[in-house]
């Protein structure tokens, strides 16, 4: 991560010159309260994908209450991301939301060209004080992932849990580590099979990877990607969901899910733009449980089927997390199989 400032070459002279010539949202005074903020979302995957669906949902809610007017583009390739950013900026959008994990340098260069636009971007890197209109966020939902791990640890009979992720990047790694920590708290002898499919949206590949783990004896699967719960359902084992609640689709399969609520993150950015104080910041903390950014989904069809000891520990830890008495460790290193 420390290599970021070495690889990104921002034109600070251009940024400062443009800033001086432009009446910016960044401290230049509040936006007109009656006018919705013209907002765009730029996504590299379909809006049905878990992670992006939560951003999309929050944006639609903000539009419904009149805070923003919202348009979006999906399935934008990393190589095309900068062009789409420029198009939305030129079209008069004053808030642009997206995820730049594969286009960090280009995205920040574009942001420097449009200092009158607030950019709120999912990123593995931190904000840069030299680029005041570019803020970062991430789904720090390790709190709920930890709680879902406690449930998984109580539900496995074989003591063998499979975990299928997209890429071994920090925002995936930290959730897996938190899940593993929760499971181990219930049963320190649990073993894990960990695999990454090298894609953010390839349900068939995720499903095949999960099938291989089932052949190797897992009886609970951590479904970080779409397709994993399908494999669990077909083979009659259990799954733990991630980011969204899919139990309605898998009522006999998905025991619990760690849910991401993007609303606190987006609402904070909207409030800053409204009063003209949007500035470079790390919005990651708004995904924490004590900020309302994550929660454990209701057990639904598994109500009454999870051991009482696990539920008692979940309630205890949840209260401690919210009060600050207990902190889930954030471990961004790549997890490995036991």
């Amino acid at each position: 991560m420390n290599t970021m400032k070495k690889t990104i070459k921002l034109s600070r002279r251009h940024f400062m010159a443009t800033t001086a010539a432009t009446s910016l949202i960044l401290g230049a005074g509040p936006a007109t309260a009656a006018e919705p903020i013209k907002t765009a979302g730029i996504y590299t995957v379909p809006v049905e994908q878990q992670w992006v669906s939560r951003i999309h949902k929050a944006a639609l809610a903000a539009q419904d209450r009149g805070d923003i007017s919202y348009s979006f583009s999906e399935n934008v390739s990393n190589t095309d991301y900068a062009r789409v950013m420029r198009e939305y900026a030129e079209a008069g959008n004053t808030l642009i939301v997206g995820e730049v994990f594969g286009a960090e340098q280009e995205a920040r260069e574009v942001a420097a060209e449009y200092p009158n636009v607030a950019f709120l971007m999912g990123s593995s890197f931190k904000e840069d004080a030299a680029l005041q209109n570019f803020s970062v966020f991430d789904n720090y939902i390790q709190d709920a992932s930890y709680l879902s791990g406690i449930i998984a640890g109580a539900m496995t009979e074989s003591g063998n849990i499979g975990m299928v992720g997209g890429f071994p990047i920090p925002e995936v790694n930290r959730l897996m580590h938190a899940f593993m920590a929760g499971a181990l708290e219930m049963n320190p002898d649990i073993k894990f099979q960990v695999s990454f499919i090298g894609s953010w949206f390839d349900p068939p590949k995720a499903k095949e990877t999960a099938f291989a783990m089932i052949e190797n004896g897992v009886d609970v699967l951590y479904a970080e990607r779409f397709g994993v719960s399908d494999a669990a359902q077909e083979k009659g084992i259990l799954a733990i969901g991630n980011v969204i609640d899919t139990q309605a689709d898998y009522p006999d399969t998905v025991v619990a899910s760690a849910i991401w609520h993007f609303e606190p993150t987006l609402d904070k950015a909207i409030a800053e733009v409204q009063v003209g104080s949007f500035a470079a910041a790390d919005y990651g903390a708004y995904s924490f449980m004590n900020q309302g950014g994550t929660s454990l989904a209701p057990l639904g069809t598994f109500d009454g089927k999870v051991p009482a000891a696990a539920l008692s520990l979940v309630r205890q830890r949840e209260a401690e997390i919210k009060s600050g008495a207990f902190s889930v460790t954030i471990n961004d290193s790549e997890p490995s199989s036991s």
Side-chain angles (χ1 to χ4, degrees), residues 3-332:
T3 61
M4 190 61 190
K5 291 186 178 178
K6 296 179 182 178
T7 58
I8 293 179
K9 304 295 185 183
L10 296 176
S11 174
R12 298 192 183 190
R13 182 174 60 181
H14 174 79
F15 174 70
M16 295 304 293
T18 313
T19 302
T22 306
S23 177
L24 212 178
I25 46 174
L26 314 179
T32 304
E35 288 295 321
I37 298 167
K38 190 172 182 181
T39 302
I42 309 173
Y43 312 121
T44 60
V45 292
V47 291
E48 295 87 2
Q49 189 255 17
Q50 297 113 297
W51 200 84
V52 163
S53 73
R54 305 306 290 177
I55 303 172
H56 186 61
K57 176 178 179 291
L60 291 175
Q63 179 171 253
D64 287 345
R65 65 175 184 258
D67 285 346
I68 67 173
S69 61
Y70 173 60
S71 57
F72 67 93
S73 295
E74 57 187 338
N75 294 314
V76 177
S77 67
N78 289 328
T79 55
D80 209 25
Y81 207 90
R83 179 189 64 80
V84 178
M85 286 177 68
R86 285 191 177 92
E87 287 184 354
Y88 276 123
E90 292 289 344
N93 288 278
T94 54
L95 175 60
I96 297 178
V97 183
E99 17 95 28
V100 296
F101 299 105
E104 290 276 357
Q105 180 171 332
E106 296 84 353
R108 295 183 187 227
E109 288 173 351
V110 172
E113 298 171 14
Y114 297 94
N116 59 322
V117 178
F119 292 87
L120 179 64
M121 294 290 174
S123 171
S124 295
F125 297 93
K126 296 301 182 181
E127 75 280 12
D128 185 347
L131 190 58
Q132 279 294 304
N133 63 325
F134 191 97
S135 287
V136 298
F137 68 86
D138 209 341
N139 62 327
Y140 283 88
I141 63 169
Q142 66 282 342
D143 297 330
S145 296
Y146 170 84
L147 299 180
S148 72
I150 292 174
I151 292 174
M155 297 298 286
T156 178
E157 296 179 359
S158 68
N160 194 343
I161 295 177
M163 309 181 70
V164 181
F167 293 92
I169 63 174
E171 43 279 346
V172 175
N173 298 343
R174 71 175 66 107
L175 305 187
M176 286 188 163
H177 279 295
F179 172 87
M180 295 163 79
L184 290 171
E185 185 160 0
M186 281 304 299
N187 180 356
D189 296 323
I190 287 176
K191 303 299 181 185
F192 300 95
Q193 296 180 38
V194 180
S195 185
F196 298 92
I197 63 171
S199 172
W200 292 130
F201 194 73
D202 191 343
K205 188 172 183 179
K207 185 176 180 180
E208 288 303 316
T209 302
F211 277 146
M213 291 180 173
I214 296 170
E215 288 294 317
N216 286 330
V218 306
D219 64 350
V220 175
L221 283 163
Y222 176 72
E224 199 271 328
R225 292 293 100 195
F226 276 153
V228 177
S229 294
D230 294 293
Q233 183 180 56
E234 288 187 25
K235 295 298 184 179
I237 69 167
L238 302 177
I240 302 294
N242 180 58
V243 176
I244 62 175
D245 186 1
T246 58
Q247 194 183 74
D249 298 318
Y250 308 96
D252 299 318
T253 303
V254 175
V255 185
S257 298
I259 307 302
W260 184 31
H261 305 290
F262 189 67
E263 287 79 0
T265 302
L266 181 59
D267 293 351
K268 174 64 174 176
I270 290 171
E272 296 293 338
V273 172
Q274 286 173 334
V275 300
S277 59
F278 187 91
D282 181 358
Y283 279 61
Y286 296 102
S287 288
F288 282 37
M289 184 169 281
N290 62 7
Q291 295 291 331
T294 186
S295 66
L296 192 64
L299 294 177
T301 55
F302 282 88
D303 192 19
K305 299 178 183 178
V306 177
L311 294 182
S312 177
L313 182 57
V314 165
R315 287 191 292 268
Q316 175 188 337
R317 289 288 186 247
E318 182 176 12
E320 292 171 343
I321 288 168
K322 290 180 178 179
S323 72
F326 180 84
S327 296
V328 177
T329 299
I330 297 175
N331 184 349
D332 287 347

